[in-house]
Amino acid sequence: MGDRFVVVPVNTGKTSGKEGERSGSTGAHPAPDTGGSSSSVPGTVFEPAVHILEYNREPNKYGDGVPKENSPFINSAENDKNNYDGTNMALFEEEMDRHPMVSSLLDKLANYTNLSQGAQEHEEADEEEGTKKKTVKSPQMGTIMGVYLPCLQNILGVILFLRLTWIVGTAGILESLAIVGLCCSCTMLTAISMSAIATNGVVPAGGSYYMISRSLGPEFGGAVGLCFYLGTTFAGAMYILGTIEILLTYIVPQAAIFTAERKEDQLTALLNNMRIYGTICLSLMAVVVFVGVKYVNKLALVFLACVILSIISIYAGVIKSGFDPPDFPVCMLGNRTLQNLQFDKCLKTEIINNNTVSTQLWRLFCDGPDLSSTCNEYFVNNNLTLIQGIPGLASGVISENMWSAYGPLGMLVENKRLPSVGGIDPAKDIYLPYVVNDISTFFTLLVGIYFPSVTGIMAGSNRSGDLKDAQKSIPIGTILAIGTTSFIYVSGVILFGACIEGVLLRDKFGDSVKGNLVIGTLSWPSPWVIVIGSFFSCCGAGLQSLTGAPRLLQAIARDGIVPFLQVFGHGKANGEPTWALLLTAGICEIGILIASLDAVAPILSMFFLMCYMFVNLACAVQTLLRTPNWRPRFKYYHWTLSFLGMSLCLSIMFISSWYYAIIAMGIAGCIYKYIEYRGAEKEWGDGIRGLSLNAARYALIRLEEAPPHTKNWRPQLLVLLNLDSDLGVKHPRLLSLTTQLKAGKGLTIVGNVLQGTYLSHEAEAKKAEQNIKSTMATERTKGFCHVVVSSNLRDGISHLIQSAGLGGMKHNTVLVGWPGTWKQSEDPQSWRNFIEIVRETTTAHQAMLVAKNVDSFPTCQDRLGEGTIDVWWVVHDGGMLMLLPFLLRQHKVWGMCKMRIFTVAQMDDNSIQMKKDLQMFLYHLRLDAEVEVVEMHDNDISAFTYEKTLVMEQRSQMLKQMHLSRTEREREAQLIHDKNTTAHTTMNNKEEAGPDRVHMTWTKDKLSAERNRTREPNANVAVRDLFNMKPNQSNVRRMHTAVKLNEVVVNKSQGAHLVLLNMPGPPRNRGGDENYMEFLEVLLEGLNRVLMVRGGGREVITIYS
């Protein structure tokens, strides 16, 4: 595995008594980034910290359990503290713990390493930890060994050896070149985008998953990472199927467990053999990966050598075929190709000892060996012909192989140049020993089958930690590997078409050449070079897939973005991903059970194409956003190339298999939504967040252009919360009401004001914000939190009302709870603040909602049964009273409730006509509600109302006098304090003061007597005035309205689930504020859940479409 090294400080001290002796101590640090700080000890002088490299055996982890991304930069809270004792930078010495010196930063950067994170072997894990310090091995791999050859090994593989000749024969040279060009262009454009991303900073282990997730965010990263994992896993299944196909078809056909007596059963027998042997092979490979992954890595060069030798032998065979073609005759009956497996001679009869006898071929087409036997009609009417399967470069066969020969399942492989008699209905002959199509063939199918042969371009970026200069090696090595493999594929298409007969090209399993591998018939010196080389190549690729896929899954699991995958982040003590390997083997078994190489290839094509598509998208988004951190060293990229690559990937997905494409995108979409809904929140500075910021900025600027139309108006809420002494939310049901009213739509700002200064209360503000956000999450309130620290509550609330929101996304409605304890409160400032909120919202043309008994409101989990929401429409407020019940009923809490609208008629109003008009108005508003008109007669003002008004005004007067008395006492105490202070100062400064300066000494008795002497007459007058006062007539009328309206509302709506009614405005004269609170109290008396509504002065509901 790649060893991990971290920088730790070592304090080297000098004892004062012995100048020459040094004693060093190394602290053990459990976390890689934990720094040490030196402390002063008497008698010891410490030198500045010296950084050494400590070996850390802990396996690499992802996500929040470890340091963020092993970054050595200064924005980490765990940076080493600098002991600074110089004077050159004294101006900055107080900030050294948070902002280290540049020299310290550069020292860390110089010692920072980012080696690839593999798994330790058992013998390595058993060594004693922490006792040995290993020397840093700086990465030494160059472009060729680190990027070029690994990419070459991953790109060239099973499709080249087993299917490329068949693709050329079926699609023809021209369409095969189109397929190769399409797929290679896709990977080349993806490599350009990947090079830009990979050279934009250090790419740790995780490769493509890391690049995509850090560029597009955790949702896209998790979705595409899992798709890439599934693609790699199914690639393992494809390589294992290729291995078994080579083994059972070309090496040891007699090892087959299932054999077919009839030709129609051959395909089923082959698939069953693939399933049995594939499962065995998968089990053996999984055990090898589990026991010793380092042996797999050491054998990688051997497998690569097999691939290179096989390709060299193909080119050598092509050259040799130009002057000495190999002898692989193909037996043709008429123009049909025969399976040359059960006969030796391409003859109907032969002469042995002057006797004409039938051959093995005769017996395959006739019902007996006798010459008089009944034979197949086509066999009788057509002659047998031997043609050369490898005519060679100089034969001119290239012109015949230019065009496609697609066909349905069971179509006979024919050479149209040869004569044929009869055979009008070949369907009845498909079970005879002819070479036939085992699947239906068409262009798009071949694209899906071929595409896996160009995957593997991420191998270099996955090894970025092992490279000496990753930012130089990854682009050069990857693009060079794609160029090389593209040349091999293009030249292979042309050379195969120029050297091999068309019927042999279309013979997928080489049945016409005695079961030889078709590409092997062309190779030199022997077909076995290709057979053995391709066998080991497929074995190695399968092992590499089973090694890489579990580590990719482990990386995703350790990132913590997909909660249900976290179990796969664990493994053995040495970091080996055991659980991830088991899951990988299970998924791989699904591909094995499919058993057909041609069916598995399009599946993994989908997942790889999706991964490549999002690599291109990531590069395009980062380039278009021009984020400050987007500074790739690779300069030969452009957003149009990335966009073209993304479009090409999407096109190939739907070209090759539209239903697989939809399934793959559906899987990715489900994973995306799951991570968005349940995943851990991550901030990786990704491009999607930058895109969201740009979109938000654009939308906000558009919203500034004009106020919202009435049809688009919805309450954008500013919710003012109260907190208790522990900074917890007092009334969480206010947030429940917000959730039910908003249902996640529009803007919600939850605000609170703390009293004091921000410098001294910054910690409390953050704690309050966290508590509010936690309560919002519990109540499922989607919105923003805004905590303000102000010198007094009054100004803080005013600032929130004025400045909350941004641009066009500002609140238009303020939601508060009714101050139910305002009468019991000793401080009148609580209800005065409430009245000032009403006045300020009115001035700002904002609506206001006041919830009484908010703690009795339902939670979001409650379901109210059948009941009513009663609206008391007394004055027109722009339609707020109509709109709010409609919005509430959209939520499942209030969904069962019916809406009732009551309006008040005076004596001179026509109640019947009012009801008809209101019903028509509601009909045009498309609102379903019962309508009732309540008549309020001009009754005489009752004695109860008169007395209640009198008590209210007496209480108000008493409160004023109590407040005045308290103020006087405070003023007297301050006056005495000032006099004493002045006298004391004067005596100290001027001891020789003259007789005109006399200081009067106040005793407690004198002070009490003086206060009583001045207060008694005033108190008597006040009490006498209090009992002789008469109530103000204006207040009596208002109290009468409140009492009468309350009687009507209680009579009609006491059993309603919720009552909404107009909220009267405060008096213009501030002297009557406490009376206003009393009026509202009387109005709400006897009602449980009440929402008082005050409109913002504009229409919020319309009858027009």
Side-chain angles (χ1 to χ4, degrees):
M1 80 171 252
D3 298 331
R4 300 176 62 221
F5 302 92
V6 291
V7 179
V8 295
V10 175
N11 292 324
T12 306
K14 289 182 182 178
T15 28
S16 55
K18 298 178 181 180
E19 292 289 329
E21 293 184 14
R22 291 173 181 259
S23 61
S25 63
T26 306
H29 305 283
D33 290 341
T34 304
S37 59
S38 58
S39 57
S40 300
V41 178
T44 304
V45 179
F46 287 97
E47 290 184 348
V50 180
H51 293 93
I52 70 166
L53 291 166
E54 180 183 17
Y55 179 63
N56 188 350
R57 289 184 174 278
E58 182 185 2
N60 184 49
K61 296 178 182 174
Y62 296 78
D64 295 332
V66 291
K68 295 286 174 156
E69 281 166 20
N70 276 348
S71 172
F73 295 100
I74 59 177
N75 57 359
S76 171
E78 298 178 345
N79 280 324
D80 300 337
K81 293 182 180 178
N82 296 281
N83 292 320
Y84 180 75
D85 56 359
T87 56
N88 292 337
M89 290 292 172
L91 188 61
F92 300 95
E93 62 186 0
E94 291 184 358
E95 296 182 331
M96 287 297 176
D97 57 338
R98 288 175 290 124
H99 305 292
M101 296 278 291
V102 173
S103 58
S104 172
L105 169 66
L106 296 177
D107 186 36
K108 286 187 178 185
L109 286 173
N111 290 312
Y112 177 63
T113 181
N114 181 36
L115 299 184
S116 62
Q117 314 299 338
Q120 295 168 300
E121 289 304 311
H122 298 292
E123 59 270 21
E124 295 174 353
D126 291 338
E127 291 177 9
E128 221 176 273
E129 295 192 15
T131 57
K132 298 180 181 179
K133 300 291 185 290
K134 294 195 177 183
T135 313
V136 176
K137 293 181 183 177
S138 59
Q140 293 298 324
M141 296 183 76
T143 303
I144 300 299
M145 292 299 295
V147 181
Y148 178 72
L149 291 180
C151 284
L152 213 61
Q153 180 189 3
N154 280 267
I155 294 172
L156 299 171
V158 62
I159 301 296
L160 169 65
F161 300 119
L162 296 184
R163 292 292 183 269
L164 189 58
T165 53
W166 174 72
I167 290 173
V168 174
T170 305
I173 294 175
L174 294 179
E175 291 187 29
S176 297
L177 288 175
I179 293 171
V180 172
L182 191 68
C183 297
C184 291
S185 300
C186 175
T187 53
M188 180 61 80
L189 292 171
T190 303
I192 291 172
S193 299
M194 185 197 71
S195 299
I197 297 173
T199 58
N200 187 50
V202 179
V203 178
S208 59
Y209 160 70
Y210 184 93
M211 289 190 294
I212 296 170
S213 61
R214 269 55 176 182
S215 296
L216 294 179
E219 293 87 0
F220 277 110
V224 179
L226 284 175
C227 285
F228 191 50
Y229 162 74
L230 291 173
T232 307
T233 304
F234 275 103
M238 183 186 73
Y239 291 129
I240 292 173
L241 291 174
T243 303
I244 303 305
E245 184 176 313
I246 294 169
L247 181 70
L248 295 181
T249 308
Y250 307 113
I251 299 180
V252 280
Q254 59 272 21
I257 298 173
F258 298 93
T259 56
E261 297 293 334
R262 299 178 303 167
K263 185 185 175 185
E264 53 263 38
D265 299 328
Q266 285 179 355
L267 182 61
T268 304
L270 175 63
L271 294 181
N272 288 331
N273 285 322
M274 299 277 274
R275 293 183 180 107
I276 297 295
Y277 280 99
T279 304
I280 295 171
C281 183
L282 172 63
S283 303
L284 291 175
M285 286 185 176
V287 170
V288 169
V289 172
F290 178 79
V291 171
V293 70
K294 72 177 183 181
Y295 302 113
V296 176
N297 294 330
K298 288 178 179 178
L299 287 171
L301 284 176
V302 177
F303 298 140
L304 177 61
C306 292
V307 175
I308 294 175
L309 284 174
S310 300
I311 291 172
I312 291 173
S313 74
I314 293 170
Y315 282 110
V318 168
I319 295 171
K320 181 177 178 294
S321 73
F323 55 87
D324 184 16
D327 183 28
F328 283 98
V330 177
C331 185
M332 306 291 296
L333 177 61
N335 64 357
R336 298 177 181 178
T337 310
L338 294 176
Q339 290 183 339
N340 191 2
L341 298 174
Q342 299 173 340
F343 62 91
D344 296 324
K345 298 177 181 178
C346 187
L347 297 169
K348 293 182 182 180
T349 59
E350 61 180 339
I351 299 174
I352 300 177
N353 299 327
N354 294 324
N355 294 321
T356 302
V357 295
S358 61
T359 61
Q360 292 172 318
L361 184 58
W362 178 281
R363 299 183 184 94
L364 294 175
F365 284 88
C366 302
D367 56 8
D370 300 330
L371 298 179
S372 60
S373 302
T374 304
C375 297
N376 177 266
E377 181 184 356
Y378 190 85
F379 179 76
V380 173
N381 295 334
N382 290 274
N383 297 322
L384 290 169
T385 310
L386 270 179
I387 64 171
Q388 196 55 250
I390 313 290
L393 272 176
S395 64
V397 75
I398 188 171
S399 61
E400 300 170 11
N401 292 329
M402 280 290 180
W403 313 109
S404 62
Y406 301 119
L409 171 67
M411 188 185 81
L412 301 176
V413 175
E414 299 174 338
N415 188 334
K416 299 298 183 182
R417 293 182 295 111
L418 296 177
S420 175
V421 178
I424 300 173
D425 184 15
K428 61 184 180 182
D429 295 336
I430 61 174
Y431 296 123
L432 291 171
Y434 294 120
V435 177
V436 298
N437 283 355
D438 62 331
I439 58 173
S440 298
T441 54
F442 41 89
F443 178 81
T444 56
L445 172 74
L446 299 186
V447 173
I449 292 175
Y450 172 77
F451 189 82
S453 65
V454 296
T455 59
I457 62 174
M458 301 288 184
S461 64
N462 291 346
R463 297 170 178 241
S464 61
D466 296 323
L467 302 174
K468 187 188 302 182
D469 186 359
Q471 298 188 356
K472 175 184 176 183
S473 297
I474 289 176
I476 295 175
T478 306
I479 293 173
L480 195 60
I482 293 174
T484 304
T485 53
S486 299
F487 171 78
I488 291 172
Y489 286 129
V490 170
S491 62
V493 168
I494 296 172
L495 294 176
F496 294 159
C499 296
I500 305 175
E501 179 64 43
V503 291
L504 181 56
L505 285 173
R506 295 198 294 279
D507 184 3
K508 183 186 289 185
F509 300 107
D511 292 333
S512 61
V513 284
K514 295 191 177 296
N516 277 301
L517 182 61
V518 175
I519 198 172
T521 61
L522 181 63
S523 63
W524 180 87
S526 168
W528 286 101
V529 175
I530 295 287
V531 172
I532 301 300
S534 60
F535 177 78
F536 282 111
S537 169
C538 291
C539 280
L543 285 170
Q544 292 286 354
S545 296
L546 288 178
T547 304
R551 279 156 185 76
L552 178 59
L553 181 63
Q554 187 181 45
I556 299 169
R558 285 183 169 177
D559 250 346
I561 58 174
V562 186
F564 72 84
L565 288 180
Q566 289 188 357
V567 65
F568 299 107
H570 308 296
K572 294 189 294 187
N574 61 344
E576 191 71 34
T578 311
W579 295 109
L581 178 60
L582 287 175
L583 179 66
T584 302
I587 297 174
C588 198
E589 178 64 18
I590 296 173
I592 299 294
L593 293 177
I594 294 174
S596 171
L597 186 70
D598 302 320
V600 173
I603 296 175
L604 67 100
S605 295
M606 293 302 118
F607 293 122
F608 278 119
L609 280 165
M610 186 165 290
C611 178
Y612 297 164
M613 181 175 70
F614 281 102
V615 168
N616 285 299
L617 176 63
C619 182
V621 167
Q622 296 278 29
T623 307
L624 289 173
L625 288 178
R626 299 178 183 175
T627 50
N629 190 52
W630 181 245
R631 303 185 299 274
R633 287 195 177 275
F634 181 75
K635 300 300 181 185
Y636 305 102
Y637 70 94
H638 195 267
W639 70 267
T640 53
L641 294 177
S642 301
F643 187 77
L644 179 62
M646 182 182 69
S647 304
L648 206 53
C649 289
L650 189 62
S651 302
I652 295 175
M653 285 177 68
F654 281 93
I655 284 173
S656 57
S657 178
W658 64 267
Y659 46 89
Y660 278 153
I662 291 174
I663 292 172
M665 295 177 77
I667 292 172
C670 291
I671 297 169
Y672 178 94
K673 295 305 292 183
Y674 176 80
I675 296 172
E676 186 180 56
Y677 180 66
R678 290 291 304 276
E681 292 184 2
K682 302 283 181 181
E683 176 50 64
W684 288 328
D686 51 86
I688 293 297
R689 189 171 180 83
L691 195 62
S692 301
L693 289 171
N694 272 10
R697 170 184 163 276
Y698 174 76
L700 285 171
I701 291 174
R702 288 291 305 272
L703 286 174
E704 276 286 305
E705 295 175 0
H709 192 272
T710 302
K711 289 186 287 188
N712 296 325
W713 195 95
R714 66 166 61 242
Q716 318 286 7
L717 291 181
L718 169 63
V719 185
L720 297 178
L721 290 180
N722 287 330
L723 303 182
D724 55 27
S725 57
D726 296 327
L727 300 179
V729 177
K730 265 188 182 178
H731 305 293
R733 297 290 178 86
L734 204 59
L735 294 175
S736 301
L737 176 62
T738 304
T739 303
Q740 295 155 23
L741 190 62
K742 301 288 290 179
K745 305 294 190 299
L747 174 70
T748 300
I749 302 173
V750 181
N752 176 256
V753 178
L754 298 180
Q755 195 163 353
T757 61
Y758 185 69
L759 291 177
S760 58
H761 291 79
E762 185 255 351
E764 288 90 336
K766 286 187 176 178
K767 182 181 177 183
E769 189 170 340
Q770 288 176 354
N771 291 344
I772 291 174
K773 285 182 177 178
S774 175
T775 309
M776 289 173 68
T778 304
E779 300 296 335
R780 298 179 184 176
T781 304
K782 296 181 180 179
F784 308 98
C785 177
H786 197 174
V787 176
V788 173
V789 182
S790 178
S791 57
N792 61 74
L793 296 178
R794 170 74 192 82
D795 291 345
I797 293 173
S798 177
H799 294 155
L800 274 177
I801 292 174
Q802 293 178 59
S803 61
L806 179 64
M809 283 296 284
K810 293 181 70 69
H811 63 277
N812 54 29
T813 306
V814 178
L815 173 61
V816 296
W818 169 253
T821 59
W822 69 275
K823 281 188 176 181
Q824 291 77 30
S825 175
E826 295 182 1
D827 185 10
Q829 198 60 40
S830 61
W831 53 265
R832 284 180 179 165
N833 285 342
F834 173 79
I835 297 174
E836 289 303 314
I837 292 173
V838 180
R839 287 196 173 102
E840 290 202 350
T841 53
T842 305
T843 304
H845 302 290
Q846 295 174 4
M848 186 171 181
L849 308 178
V850 181
K852 182 199 174 189
N853 293 339
V854 70
D855 291 330
S856 68
F857 275 65
T859 65
C860 294
Q861 286 74 35
D862 295 337
R863 299 292 181 271
L864 296 179
E866 292 187 2
T868 60
I869 299 176
D870 288 357
V871 177
W872 284 85
W873 192 18
V874 181
V875 296
H876 183 54
D877 59 351
M880 277 283 286
L881 280 170
M882 311 288 183
L883 185 61
L884 292 177
F886 170 76
L887 295 176
L888 281 174
R889 290 176 64 206
Q890 305 303 304
H891 198 277
K892 49 194 171 184
V893 173
W894 303 90
M896 299 286 291
C897 298
K898 294 182 179 179
M899 180 175 165
R900 295 195 302 180
I901 295 183
F902 298 89
T903 188
V904 178
Q906 303 299 324
M907 282 296 294
D908 52 351
D909 292 330
N910 186 340
S911 302
I912 298 175
Q913 188 61 40
M914 278 183 67
K915 184 173 182 178
K916 288 182 179 180
D917 293 343
L918 182 54
Q919 287 174 334
M920 182 58 66
F921 181 55
L922 291 176
Y923 175 78
H924 287 305
L925 289 176
R926 291 90 64 201
L927 295 176
D928 296 324
E930 298 178 12
V931 175
E932 188 171 340
V933 178
V934 178
E935 295 181 352
M936 286 186 63
H937 302 289
D938 289 336
N939 295 334
D940 294 334
I941 297 174
S942 65
F944 170 75
T945 302
Y946 192 87
E947 182 182 353
K948 199 167 185 64
T949 309
L950 181 61
V951 170
M952 176 189 73
E953 293 191 354
Q954 288 175 346
R955 178 180 178 278
S956 175
Q957 192 65 28
M958 287 178 63
L959 287 173
K960 285 182 180 178
Q961 290 180 2
M962 288 170 61
H963 179 66
L964 184 62
S965 301
R966 189 185 304 117
T967 306
E968 287 176 352
R969 289 198 302 271
E970 291 172 355
R971 189 182 295 117
E972 287 178 4
Q974 185 65 34
L975 178 63
I976 294 168
H977 177 268
D978 292 344
K979 286 183 178 180
N980 285 335
T981 304
T982 305
H984 181 68
T985 305
T986 305
M987 288 181 65
N988 287 342
N989 293 340
K990 298 183 179 180
E991 294 180 357
E992 66 282 357
D996 55 329
R997 301 291 182 97
V998 178
H999 175 62
M1000 180 177 181
T1001 302
W1002 288 78
T1003 64
K1004 187 175 182 180
D1005 295 337
K1006 285 184 180 180
L1007 175 61
S1008 178
E1010 179 68 19
R1011 181 182 295 165
N1012 292 335
R1013 183 179 64 80
T1014 56
R1015 179 176 294 171
E1016 281 176 5
N1018 293 335
N1020 292 334
V1021 171
V1023 171
R1024 200 162 47 245
D1025 290 345
L1026 198 62
F1027 285 102
N1028 293 333
M1029 68 183 298
K1030 294 182 179 180
N1032 183 286
Q1033 288 303 311
S1034 174
N1035 288 341
V1036 172
R1037 289 197 311 274
R1038 287 183 174 142
M1039 182 63 76
H1040 175 70
T1041 303
V1043 170
K1044 294 300 292 181
L1045 189 56
N1046 175 258
E1047 287 178 1
V1048 175
V1049 174
V1050 170
N1051 182 39
K1052 296 284 187 181
S1053 302
Q1054 194 166 23
H1057 284 318
L1058 180 64
V1059 176
L1060 289 89
L1061 76 162
N1062 291 112
M1063 177 179 174
R1068 293 195 178 103
N1069 179 15
R1070 295 177 184 271
D1073 283 357
E1074 61 272 21
N1075 297 339
Y1076 172 70
M1077 294 296 292
E1078 190 72 42
F1079 296 146
L1080 293 181
E1081 189 73 49
V1082 171
L1083 183 62
L1084 302 176
E1085 192 174 352
L1087 298 172
N1088 184 21
R1089 294 187 195 130
V1090 183
L1091 192 62
M1092 289 191 291
V1093 180
R1094 184 162 174 77
R1098 62 163 294 170
E1099 294 291 333
V1100 300
I1101 195 167
T1102 178
I1103 64 174
Y1104 299 105
S1105 61

